Coordinates of all heavy atoms in Angstrom, one line a residue:
V7 N -9.5 1.5 1.7 CA -8.7 2.4 0.9 C -9.0 3.9 1.4 O -8.6 4.8 0.6 CB -8.9 2.3 -0.6 CG1 -8.3 0.9 -1.1 CG2 -10.3 2.5 -1.0
G8 N -9.5 4.0 2.6 CA -9.9 5.4 3.0 C -8.9 6.2 3.8 O -9.2 7.3 4.1
G9 N -7.7 5.7 4.0 CA -6.8 6.4 4.9 C -6.1 7.6 4.1 O -6.2 7.7 2.9
Q10 N -5.6 8.5 4.9 CA -5.0 9.7 4.4 C -3.6 9.5 3.9 O -3.0 10.4 3.2 CB -5.0 10.8 5.4 CG -6.4 11.1 5.9 CD -6.6 12.6 6.2 OE1 -5.7 13.4 6.2 NE2 -7.8 13.0 6.6
G11 N -3.0 8.4 4.3 CA -1.6 8.1 3.9 C -0.6 9.2 4.3 O 0.3 9.7 3.5
T12 N -0.7 9.7 5.6 CA 0.1 10.8 6.0 C 1.6 10.6 5.9 O 2.4 11.5 5.6 CB -0.2 11.2 7.5 OG1 -0.1 10.0 8.3 CG2 -1.6 11.8 7.6
R13 N 2.0 9.4 6.0 CA 3.5 9.0 6.0 C 4.0 9.2 4.6 O 5.2 9.2 4.4 CB 3.7 7.6 6.6 CG 3.5 7.5 8.1 CD 3.5 6.1 8.5 NE 2.3 5.4 8.0 CZ 2.2 4.1 7.9 NH1 3.2 3.3 8.3 NH2 1.1 3.5 7.3
L14 N 3.1 9.2 3.6 CA 3.6 9.3 2.3 C 3.4 10.7 1.7 O 3.5 10.8 0.5 CB 2.9 8.3 1.4 CG 3.6 6.8 1.3 CD1 2.7 5.9 0.7 CD2 4.9 6.9 0.6
R15 N 3.2 11.7 2.6 CA 3.1 13.0 2.0 C 4.5 13.5 1.5 O 5.5 13.0 2.1 CB 2.6 14.0 3.1 CG 1.1 13.8 3.4 CD 0.6 14.8 4.4 NE -0.8 14.5 4.7 CZ -1.3 14.9 5.8 NH1 -0.7 15.6 6.7 NH2 -2.6 14.6 6.1
P16 N 4.6 14.3 0.5 CA 3.5 15.0 -0.1 C 2.9 14.2 -1.3 O 2.0 14.8 -1.9 CB 4.3 16.2 -0.7 CG 5.7 15.7 -1.0 CD 5.9 14.7 0.1
L17 N 3.3 13.0 -1.5 CA 2.7 12.3 -2.7 C 1.2 12.1 -2.5 O 0.4 12.1 -3.5 CB 3.4 10.9 -2.9 CG 4.9 10.9 -3.2 CD1 5.4 9.5 -3.1 CD2 5.1 11.6 -4.5
T18 N 0.8 11.9 -1.3 CA -0.6 11.6 -1.0 C -1.5 12.9 -0.8 O -2.6 12.8 -0.5 CB -0.7 10.8 0.2 OG1 0.1 11.3 1.2 CG2 -0.4 9.3 -0.1
L19 N -0.9 14.0 -1.1 CA -1.7 15.3 -0.9 C -2.7 15.3 -2.1 O -3.8 15.7 -1.9 CB -0.8 16.5 -1.0 CG 0.1 16.7 0.1 CD1 1.1 17.9 -0.2 CD2 -0.6 17.0 1.4
S20 N -2.3 14.8 -3.2 CA -3.2 14.8 -4.4 C -3.8 13.4 -4.7 O -4.9 13.3 -5.3 CB -2.6 15.4 -5.6 OG -1.3 14.7 -5.8
T21 N -3.0 12.4 -4.4 CA -3.4 11.0 -4.8 C -3.5 10.1 -3.6 O -2.5 10.1 -2.8 CB -2.4 10.5 -5.8 OG1 -2.2 11.4 -6.8 CG2 -2.8 9.1 -6.3
P22 N -4.6 9.4 -3.3 CA -4.6 8.5 -2.2 C -3.6 7.4 -2.3 O -3.3 7.0 -3.5 CB -6.0 8.0 -2.2 CG -6.6 8.3 -3.5 CD -5.9 9.4 -4.1
K23 N -3.0 6.9 -1.3 CA -1.9 6.0 -1.3 C -2.2 4.8 -2.2 O -1.3 4.5 -3.0 CB -1.6 5.5 0.2 CG -0.7 4.4 0.3 CD -0.2 4.2 1.8 CE -1.3 4.1 2.8 NZ -0.8 3.8 4.2
P24 N -3.4 4.2 -2.2 CA -3.5 3.0 -3.0 C -3.5 3.3 -4.5 O -3.4 2.4 -5.3 CB -4.9 2.4 -2.6 CG -5.2 3.0 -1.2 CD -4.5 4.4 -1.2
M25 N -3.6 4.6 -4.8 CA -3.7 5.0 -6.2 C -2.3 5.5 -6.7 O -2.2 5.9 -7.9 CB -4.7 6.0 -6.5 CG -6.2 5.5 -6.3 SD -6.6 4.1 -7.3 CE -6.8 4.9 -8.9
L26 N -1.3 5.6 -5.9 CA 0.0 6.0 -6.3 C 0.6 4.9 -7.2 O 0.4 3.7 -7.0 CB 1.0 6.1 -5.1 CG 0.7 7.4 -4.2 CD1 1.6 7.3 -3.0 CD2 0.9 8.7 -5.0
P27 N 1.3 5.3 -8.2 CA 1.8 4.3 -9.2 C 3.0 3.4 -8.7 O 4.0 4.0 -8.3 CB 2.2 5.1 -10.4 CG 2.5 6.5 -9.9 CD 1.7 6.7 -8.6
A28 N 2.8 2.1 -8.7 CA 3.8 1.2 -8.4 C 4.0 0.3 -9.7 O 2.9 -0.2 -10.2 CB 3.4 0.3 -7.2
A29 N 5.2 0.2 -10.1 CA 5.4 -0.5 -11.4 C 4.5 0.0 -12.5 O 4.0 -0.8 -13.3 CB 5.2 -2.1 -11.2
G30 N 4.3 1.3 -12.5 CA 3.6 1.9 -13.6 C 2.1 1.9 -13.6 O 1.4 2.5 -14.4
V31 N 1.5 1.3 -12.6 CA 0.0 1.3 -12.4 C -0.4 1.6 -11.0 O 0.4 1.4 -10.1 CB -0.7 0.0 -12.9 CG1 -0.5 -0.2 -14.4 CG2 -0.1 -1.2 -12.0
P32 N -1.6 2.1 -10.7 CA -1.9 2.4 -9.3 C -1.7 1.1 -8.5 O -2.1 0.0 -8.9 CB -3.5 2.7 -9.4 CG -3.6 3.3 -10.7 CD -2.7 2.4 -11.6
F33 N -1.1 1.3 -7.3 CA -0.8 0.2 -6.5 C -1.9 -0.8 -6.3 O -1.7 -2.0 -6.3 CB -0.3 0.8 -5.1 CG 0.0 -0.3 -4.1 CD1 1.2 -1.1 -4.2 CD2 -0.9 -0.7 -3.1 CE1 1.4 -2.1 -3.3 CE2 -0.7 -1.7 -2.2 CZ 0.5 -2.5 -2.4
L34 N -3.1 -0.3 -6.1 CA -4.3 -1.2 -5.8 C -4.5 -2.2 -7.0 O -5.1 -3.3 -6.7 CB -5.5 -0.2 -5.6 CG -6.8 -0.8 -5.3 CD1 -6.7 -1.6 -3.9 CD2 -7.9 0.3 -5.2
T35 N -4.1 -1.9 -8.1 CA -4.2 -2.8 -9.3 C -3.6 -4.1 -9.0 O -4.2 -5.2 -9.3 CB -3.6 -2.2 -10.6 OG1 -3.8 -0.8 -10.6 CG2 -4.1 -2.9 -11.8
H36 N -2.4 -4.1 -8.3 CA -1.7 -5.3 -8.1 C -2.5 -6.1 -7.0 O -2.6 -7.4 -7.2 CB -0.3 -5.0 -7.5 CG 0.5 -4.2 -8.5 ND1 1.0 -4.7 -9.7 CD2 0.9 -2.9 -8.4 CE1 1.6 -3.7 -10.3 NE2 1.6 -2.6 -9.6
Q37 N -3.0 -5.5 -6.0 CA -3.8 -6.2 -5.0 C -5.1 -6.8 -5.6 O -5.4 -8.0 -5.3 CB -4.2 -5.2 -3.9 CG -3.3 -5.1 -2.8 CD -3.9 -4.3 -1.7 OE1 -4.5 -3.3 -1.9 NE2 -3.6 -4.7 -0.4
L38 N -5.7 -6.0 -6.4 CA -7.0 -6.5 -7.0 C -6.7 -7.6 -7.9 O -7.4 -8.7 -7.9 CB -7.8 -5.4 -7.6 CG -8.3 -4.3 -6.7 CD1 -8.9 -3.2 -7.6 CD2 -9.4 -4.9 -5.8
A39 N -5.6 -7.5 -8.7 CA -5.3 -8.6 -9.7 C -4.9 -9.9 -9.0 O -5.3 -10.9 -9.4 CB -4.2 -8.1 -10.6
R40 N -4.2 -9.7 -7.9 CA -3.8 -10.9 -7.1 C -5.1 -11.6 -6.5 O -5.2 -12.8 -6.4 CB -2.8 -10.6 -6.1 CG -1.4 -10.3 -6.7 CD -0.3 -10.3 -5.6 NE -0.2 -11.6 -4.9 CZ 0.7 -12.6 -5.3 NH1 1.5 -12.4 -6.3 NH2 0.7 -13.7 -4.7
A41 N -5.9 -10.7 -6.0 CA -7.2 -11.3 -5.4 C -8.0 -11.9 -6.4 O -8.6 -13.0 -6.2 CB -7.9 -10.1 -4.7
R42 N -8.1 -11.3 -7.5 CA -8.9 -12.0 -8.7 C -8.3 -13.3 -9.0 O -9.0 -14.3 -9.2 CB -8.8 -11.1 -9.9 CG -9.6 -11.6 -11.1 CD -11.1 -11.6 -10.8 NE -11.8 -12.4 -11.8 CZ -12.1 -13.7 -11.8 NH1 -11.5 -14.5 -10.9 NH2 -12.8 -14.3 -12.7
A43 N -6.9 -13.4 -9.0 CA -6.3 -14.7 -9.3 C -6.6 -15.8 -8.3 O -6.6 -16.9 -8.6 CB -4.8 -14.5 -9.5
A44 N -6.9 -15.3 -7.0 CA -7.2 -16.2 -6.0 C -8.7 -16.5 -5.9 O -9.1 -17.2 -4.9 CB -6.7 -15.7 -4.6
G45 N -9.5 -16.0 -6.8 CA -10.9 -16.3 -6.8 C -11.9 -15.3 -6.4 O -13.0 -15.6 -6.3
V46 N -11.3 -14.1 -6.2 CA -12.3 -13.0 -5.8 C -12.9 -12.4 -7.1 O -12.2 -11.9 -7.9 CB -11.6 -11.9 -4.9 CG1 -12.4 -10.7 -4.7 CG2 -11.0 -12.5 -3.6
T47 N -14.2 -12.4 -7.1 CA -14.9 -11.9 -8.4 C -15.6 -10.6 -8.1 O -16.1 -10.0 -9.0 CB -15.9 -12.9 -8.9 OG1 -16.7 -13.3 -7.8 CG2 -15.2 -14.2 -9.5
R48 N -15.7 -10.2 -6.8 CA -16.4 -9.0 -6.5 C -15.7 -8.3 -5.3 O -15.3 -9.0 -4.4 CB -17.8 -9.4 -6.1 CG -18.8 -8.3 -5.8 CD -20.2 -8.7 -5.8 NE -21.0 -7.5 -5.6 CZ -21.0 -6.9 -4.4 NH1 -20.6 -7.4 -3.3 NH2 -21.7 -5.7 -4.4
A49 N -15.5 -7.0 -5.4 CA -14.9 -6.3 -4.3 C -15.6 -5.0 -4.1 O -16.0 -4.3 -5.0 CB -13.4 -6.0 -4.6
V50 N -15.7 -4.7 -2.8 CA -16.3 -3.4 -2.4 C -15.1 -2.5 -1.9 O -14.4 -3.0 -0.9 CB -17.4 -3.5 -1.4 CG1 -18.1 -2.2 -1.1 CG2 -18.4 -4.6 -1.7
L51 N -15.0 -1.4 -2.4 CA -13.9 -0.5 -1.9 C -14.5 0.5 -0.9 O -15.4 1.2 -1.2 CB -13.3 0.3 -3.1 CG -12.7 -0.4 -4.3 CD1 -11.7 0.5 -5.1 CD2 -11.9 -1.6 -3.8
A52 N -13.9 0.5 0.3 CA -14.4 1.3 1.4 C -13.5 2.6 1.3 O -12.3 2.6 1.7 CB -14.2 0.7 2.7
T53 N -14.1 3.7 0.7 CA -13.3 4.9 0.4 C -13.7 6.0 1.4 O -14.7 6.0 2.0 CB -13.6 5.4 -1.0 OG1 -14.9 5.8 -1.1 CG2 -13.3 4.3 -2.0
S54 N -12.8 6.9 1.5 CA -13.1 8.2 2.3 C -12.2 9.3 1.7 O -12.7 10.1 0.9 CB -12.8 7.9 3.8 OG -12.9 9.1 4.5
Y55 N -11.0 9.3 2.0 CA -10.0 10.4 1.6 C -9.9 10.3 0.0 O -9.7 9.2 -0.5 CB -8.7 10.2 2.2 CG -7.6 11.2 1.7 CD1 -7.7 12.5 2.1 CD2 -6.5 10.7 1.0 CE1 -6.7 13.4 1.7 CE2 -5.5 11.6 0.6 CZ -5.6 13.0 0.9 OH -4.7 13.8 0.6
R56 N -10.2 11.4 -0.7 CA -10.1 11.5 -2.1 C -10.9 10.3 -2.8 O -10.3 9.7 -3.7 CB -8.7 11.6 -2.6 CG -8.0 12.8 -2.1 CD -7.1 13.5 -3.0 NE -6.5 14.7 -2.5 CZ -7.1 15.9 -2.8 NH1 -8.1 16.0 -3.6 NH2 -6.5 17.0 -2.2
A57 N -12.1 10.1 -2.4 CA -12.9 8.9 -2.8 C -13.1 8.8 -4.3 O -13.0 7.7 -4.8 CB -14.2 8.9 -2.1
E58 N -13.3 10.0 -4.9 CA -13.7 9.9 -6.3 C -12.7 9.3 -7.2 O -13.0 8.7 -8.3 CB -14.0 11.4 -6.8 CG -12.9 12.4 -6.9 CD -12.3 12.8 -5.5 OE1 -12.9 12.5 -4.5 OE2 -11.2 13.4 -5.5
V59 N -11.4 9.4 -6.9 CA -10.3 8.9 -7.7 C -10.4 7.4 -8.1 O -10.0 7.0 -9.2 CB -8.9 9.3 -7.0 CG1 -7.7 8.9 -8.0 CG2 -8.9 10.7 -6.6
F60 N -10.9 6.7 -7.1 CA -10.9 5.2 -7.3 C -11.9 4.8 -8.4 O -11.5 4.1 -9.4 CB -11.3 4.5 -6.0 CG -10.3 4.7 -4.9 CD1 -10.4 5.8 -4.1 CD2 -9.2 3.9 -4.8 CE1 -9.4 6.0 -3.0 CE2 -8.2 4.0 -3.8 CZ -8.4 5.1 -2.9
E61 N -13.1 5.3 -8.3 CA -14.1 5.0 -9.3 C -13.7 5.5 -10.7 O -14.0 4.9 -11.7 CB -15.5 5.4 -8.9 CG -16.6 4.8 -9.7 CD -18.0 4.9 -9.1 OE1 -18.1 5.4 -8.1 OE2 -18.9 4.3 -9.8
E62 N -13.2 6.7 -10.7 CA -12.8 7.3 -12.0 C -11.8 6.4 -12.7 O -11.8 6.2 -13.9 CB -12.1 8.7 -11.8 CG -13.0 9.8 -11.6 CD -12.3 11.1 -11.0 OE1 -11.0 11.1 -11.2 OE2 -13.0 11.9 -10.5
H63 N -10.9 5.8 -12.0 CA -9.9 4.9 -12.6 C -10.5 3.5 -12.9 O -10.3 3.0 -14.0 CB -8.6 4.8 -11.7 CG -7.6 4.0 -12.4 ND1 -6.7 4.5 -13.3 CD2 -7.3 2.6 -12.3 CE1 -5.9 3.5 -13.8 NE2 -6.2 2.4 -13.2
F64 N -11.0 2.8 -11.9 CA -11.4 1.4 -12.0 C -12.8 1.2 -12.6 O -13.1 0.0 -13.0 CB -11.2 0.7 -10.7 CG -9.8 0.5 -10.3 CD1 -9.2 1.3 -9.1 CD2 -8.9 -0.3 -10.9 CE1 -7.9 1.1 -8.8 CE2 -7.6 -0.4 -10.5 CZ -7.1 0.3 -9.5
G65 N -13.6 2.2 -12.5 CA -15.0 2.0 -12.9 C -15.7 0.8 -12.3 O -15.5 0.5 -11.1
D66 N -16.4 0.0 -13.2 CA -17.1 -1.2 -12.7 C -16.2 -2.4 -12.5 O -16.7 -3.5 -12.2 CB -18.3 -1.5 -13.6 CG -17.9 -2.0 -15.0 OD1 -16.6 -2.1 -15.3 OD2 -18.7 -2.2 -15.8
G67 N -14.9 -2.3 -12.8 CA -13.9 -3.4 -12.6 C -13.8 -4.3 -13.8 O -13.0 -5.2 -13.7
A68 N -14.4 -3.9 -14.9 CA -14.4 -4.8 -16.1 C -13.0 -5.2 -16.5 O -12.6 -6.3 -16.9 CB -15.2 -4.3 -17.2
S69 N -12.1 -4.1 -16.5 CA -10.7 -4.3 -16.9 C -9.9 -5.4 -16.1 O -8.9 -5.9 -16.5 CB -9.9 -3.0 -16.9 OG -9.9 -2.5 -15.6
L70 N -10.4 -5.6 -14.9 CA -9.8 -6.6 -14.0 C -10.6 -7.9 -14.0 O -10.3 -8.8 -13.2 CB -9.7 -6.1 -12.6 CG -8.6 -4.9 -12.4 CD1 -9.1 -4.1 -11.2 CD2 -7.3 -5.5 -12.3
A71 N -11.6 -8.0 -14.8 CA -12.5 -9.1 -14.8 C -13.1 -9.4 -13.5 O -13.3 -10.5 -13.1 CB -11.8 -10.4 -15.4
M72 N -13.5 -8.3 -12.8 CA -14.2 -8.5 -11.5 C -15.2 -7.4 -11.4 O -15.2 -6.4 -12.2 CB -13.3 -8.5 -10.3 CG -12.5 -7.2 -10.1 SD -11.0 -7.5 -9.1 CE -11.6 -8.3 -7.6
H73 N -16.1 -7.5 -10.5 CA -17.1 -6.4 -10.3 C -16.7 -5.6 -9.1 O -16.5 -6.1 -8.0 CB -18.5 -7.0 -10.1 CG -19.5 -6.0 -10.0 ND1 -20.0 -5.4 -8.7 CD2 -20.2 -5.3 -10.9 CE1 -20.8 -4.5 -8.9 NE2 -21.0 -4.3 -10.3
L74 N -16.6 -4.3 -9.3 CA -16.3 -3.4 -8.2 C -17.4 -2.5 -7.8 O -18.2 -2.0 -8.7 CB -15.1 -2.5 -8.6 CG -13.7 -3.2 -8.9 CD1 -12.7 -2.1 -9.2 CD2 -13.3 -4.0 -7.6
D75 N -17.5 -2.3 -6.5 CA -18.5 -1.4 -6.0 C -17.8 -0.4 -5.0 O -16.7 -0.8 -4.5 CB -19.5 -2.3 -5.2 CG -20.9 -1.6 -5.0 OD1 -21.0 -0.4 -5.3 OD2 -21.8 -2.2 -4.5
Y76 N -18.4 0.7 -4.7 CA -17.7 1.7 -4.0 C -18.7 2.3 -2.9 O -19.8 2.5 -3.2 CB -17.3 2.9 -4.8 CG -16.4 2.5 -6.0 CD1 -17.0 2.0 -7.2 CD2 -15.0 2.6 -5.9 CE1 -16.2 1.6 -8.3 CE2 -14.3 2.2 -7.0 CZ -14.9 1.7 -8.2 OH -14.1 1.3 -9.2
V77 N -18.1 2.4 -1.6 CA -18.9 3.0 -0.6 C -18.0 4.1 0.1 O -16.9 3.8 0.5 CB -19.4 2.0 0.5 CG1 -20.2 2.7 1.6 CG2 -20.2 0.9 -0.2
T78 N -18.5 5.3 0.2 CA -17.7 6.4 0.8 C -18.2 6.8 2.1 O -19.4 7.1 2.3 CB -17.7 7.6 -0.2 OG1 -17.3 7.2 -1.4 CG2 -16.9 8.7 0.3
E79 N -17.3 6.9 3.1 CA -17.6 7.4 4.4 C -17.6 8.9 4.4 O -16.6 9.5 3.9 CB -16.6 6.9 5.4 CG -16.6 5.4 5.6 CD -15.2 4.8 5.9 OE1 -14.4 5.3 6.7 OE2 -14.9 3.8 5.2
R80 N -18.6 9.5 4.9 CA -18.5 11.0 5.0 C -17.4 11.4 5.9 O -16.7 12.3 5.7 CB -19.9 11.5 5.4 CG -20.5 12.4 4.3 CD -21.9 12.8 4.6 NE -22.8 11.7 4.3 CZ -23.9 11.5 5.1 NH1 -24.2 12.2 6.1 NH2 -24.7 10.5 4.8
E81 N -17.4 10.8 7.1 CA -16.2 11.0 8.1 C -15.5 9.7 8.1 O -16.1 8.6 8.0 CB -16.8 11.3 9.5 CG -17.6 12.6 9.6 CD -16.7 13.8 9.4 OE1 -15.5 13.8 9.8 OE2 -17.2 14.8 8.8
P82 N -14.1 9.7 8.2 CA -13.4 8.5 8.2 C -13.9 7.6 9.4 O -14.0 8.2 10.5 CB -11.9 8.9 8.4 CG -11.9 10.3 8.1 CD -13.3 10.9 8.3
M83 N -14.2 6.4 9.2 CA -14.8 5.5 10.3 C -13.8 4.6 10.8 O -14.1 3.7 11.7 CB -16.0 4.7 9.7 CG -17.1 5.7 9.2 SD -17.8 6.7 10.6 CE -19.0 5.5 11.1
G84 N -12.5 4.7 10.5 CA -11.5 3.7 11.0 C -11.6 2.4 10.2 O -12.5 2.2 9.4
T85 N -10.8 1.4 10.6 CA -10.8 0.2 9.8 C -12.1 -0.6 10.0 O -12.7 -1.0 9.0 CB -9.6 -0.7 10.1 OG1 -9.4 -0.7 11.6 CG2 -8.3 -0.1 9.6
G86 N -12.5 -0.8 11.3 CA -13.7 -1.6 11.5 C -15.0 -0.8 11.0 O -15.8 -1.4 10.4
G87 N -15.0 0.5 11.3 CA -16.1 1.3 10.8 C -16.3 1.2 9.3 O -17.4 1.2 8.7
G88 N -15.1 1.3 8.6 CA -15.1 1.2 7.2 C -15.7 -0.2 6.7 O -16.4 -0.2 5.7
I89 N -15.3 -1.2 7.3 CA -15.8 -2.5 7.0 C -17.4 -2.6 7.2 O -18.1 -3.1 6.4 CB -15.1 -3.7 7.8 CG1 -13.6 -3.7 7.5 CG2 -15.7 -5.0 7.4 CD1 -12.8 -4.5 8.5
R90 N -17.7 -2.1 8.4 CA -19.2 -2.2 8.8 C -20.0 -1.4 7.8 O -21.1 -1.7 7.4 CB -19.4 -1.6 10.2 CG -20.8 -1.7 10.6 CD -21.4 -3.1 10.8 NE -22.8 -3.1 11.1 CZ -23.8 -3.1 10.3 NH1 -23.6 -3.0 9.0 NH2 -25.0 -3.2 10.7
N91 N -19.4 -0.3 7.4 CA -20.2 0.7 6.5 C -20.5 0.1 5.1 O -21.4 0.6 4.5 CB -19.3 1.9 6.3 CG -20.0 3.1 5.8 OD1 -21.1 3.4 6.3 ND2 -19.5 3.8 4.8
V92 N -19.8 -0.9 4.7 CA -20.1 -1.5 3.4 C -20.9 -2.8 3.5 O -21.3 -3.4 2.5 CB -18.8 -1.9 2.6 CG1 -17.8 -0.7 2.6 CG2 -18.1 -3.2 3.1
A93 N -21.4 -3.2 4.7 CA -22.1 -4.4 5.0 C -23.3 -4.6 4.1 O -23.5 -5.7 3.6 CB -22.4 -4.6 6.5
D94 N -24.0 -3.5 3.9 CA -25.3 -3.7 3.1 C -25.0 -3.9 1.6 O -25.9 -4.1 0.8 CB -26.3 -2.6 3.4 CG -25.9 -1.3 2.9 OD1 -24.7 -1.1 2.4 OD2 -26.6 -0.3 3.0
R95 N -23.8 -3.8 1.2 CA -23.5 -4.1 -0.2 C -22.9 -5.5 -0.4 O -22.7 -5.9 -1.5 CB -22.4 -3.1 -0.8 CG -22.7 -1.7 -0.7 CD -23.8 -1.3 -1.7 NE -24.1 0.1 -1.6 CZ -23.5 1.1 -2.3 NH1 -22.6 0.7 -3.2 NH2 -23.8 2.3 -2.1
L96 N -22.7 -6.2 0.7 CA -22.2 -7.6 0.6 C -23.3 -8.5 0.1 O -24.4 -8.3 0.5 CB -21.5 -8.0 1.9 CG -20.3 -7.1 2.4 CD1 -19.9 -7.6 3.7 CD2 -19.2 -7.3 1.3
T97 N -22.9 -9.5 -0.6 CA -23.9 -10.5 -1.1 C -23.7 -11.9 -0.4 O -24.6 -12.8 -0.7 CB -23.8 -10.6 -2.6 OG1 -22.5 -11.0 -2.9 CG2 -24.1 -9.3 -3.3
S98 N -22.7 -12.1 0.4 CA -22.4 -13.3 1.0 C -23.5 -13.7 2.1 O -24.0 -12.8 2.7 CB -21.0 -13.4 1.6 OG -20.1 -13.0 0.7
A99 N -23.7 -15.0 2.2 CA -24.7 -15.4 3.3 C -24.0 -15.2 4.6 O -22.7 -15.1 4.7 CB -25.0 -16.9 3.1
P100 N -24.7 -15.2 5.8 CA -24.1 -15.0 7.1 C -23.0 -15.8 7.4 O -22.1 -15.4 8.2 CB -25.3 -15.2 8.0 CG -26.5 -14.9 7.2 CD -26.2 -15.3 5.8
D101 N -23.0 -17.1 7.0 CA -21.9 -18.0 7.4 C -20.8 -18.1 6.3 O -19.9 -19.0 6.5 CB -22.5 -19.4 7.7 CG -23.2 -20.0 6.5 OD1 -23.5 -19.3 5.5 OD2 -23.4 -21.2 6.4
E102 N -20.9 -17.3 5.3 CA -19.9 -17.4 4.3 C -18.7 -16.5 4.6 O -18.8 -15.5 5.3 CB -20.5 -17.0 2.9 CG -21.3 -18.1 2.4 CD -21.9 -17.8 1.0 OE1 -22.1 -16.6 0.6 OE2 -22.2 -18.8 0.2
P103 N -17.5 -16.8 4.0 CA -16.3 -16.0 4.3 C -16.2 -14.7 3.4 O -16.7 -14.8 2.3 CB -15.1 -16.9 3.9 CG -15.7 -17.9 2.9 CD -17.2 -18.0 3.2
V104 N -15.8 -13.6 3.9 CA -15.6 -12.4 3.2 C -14.1 -12.0 3.5 O -13.7 -11.9 4.7 CB -16.5 -11.2 3.7 CG1 -16.2 -10.0 3.0 CG2 -18.0 -11.6 3.4
I105 N -13.4 -11.7 2.4 CA -12.0 -11.3 2.6 C -11.9 -9.8 2.8 O -12.7 -9.0 2.2 CB -11.2 -11.7 1.3 CG1 -11.1 -13.2 1.2 CG2 -9.8 -11.0 1.3 CD1 -10.7 -13.6 -0.2
V106 N -11.1 -9.4 3.8 CA -10.9 -7.9 4.0 C -9.4 -7.6 3.8 O -8.6 -8.2 4.5 CB -11.4 -7.5 5.4 CG1 -11.1 -6.1 5.6 CG2 -12.9 -7.8 5.5
L107 N -9.1 -6.6 2.9 CA -7.7 -6.3 2.7 C -7.4 -4.9 3.1 O -8.2 -4.0 2.7 CB -7.4 -6.4 1.2 CG -7.6 -7.8 0.5 CD1 -7.6 -7.6 -1.0 CD2 -6.5 -8.7 0.9

Side-chain angles (χ1 to χ4, degrees):
V7 293
Q10 299 214 358
T12 51
R13 289 166 296 161
L14 273 169
R15 285 181 187 162
L17 298 172
T18 46
L19 292 175
S20 54
T21 307
K23 174 167 55 176
M25 294 302 285
L26 290 173
V31 294
F33 176 77
L34 185 59
T35 320
H36 303 290
Q37 269 191 319
L38 291 174
R40 287 191 63 93
R42 179 67 191 86
V46 173
T47 51
R48 187 165 183 281
V50 187
L51 304 195
T53 64
S54 173
Y55 178 69
R56 301 218 172 264
E58 66 292 348
V59 184
F60 295 91
E61 192 164 2
E62 277 165 22
H63 182 85
F64 290 110
D66 64 2
S69 62
L70 291 158
M72 64 199 303
H73 183 267
L74 293 183
D75 200 354
Y76 305 83
V77 179
T78 302
E79 293 143 50
R80 243 173 281 145
E81 296 293 324
M83 301 296 272
T85 47
I89 300 167
R90 179 65 183 87
N91 198 47
V92 309
D94 65 357
R95 301 290 181 91
L96 298 174
T97 56
S98 303
D101 60 344
E102 284 182 333
V104 175
I105 293 165
V106 176
L107 301 164

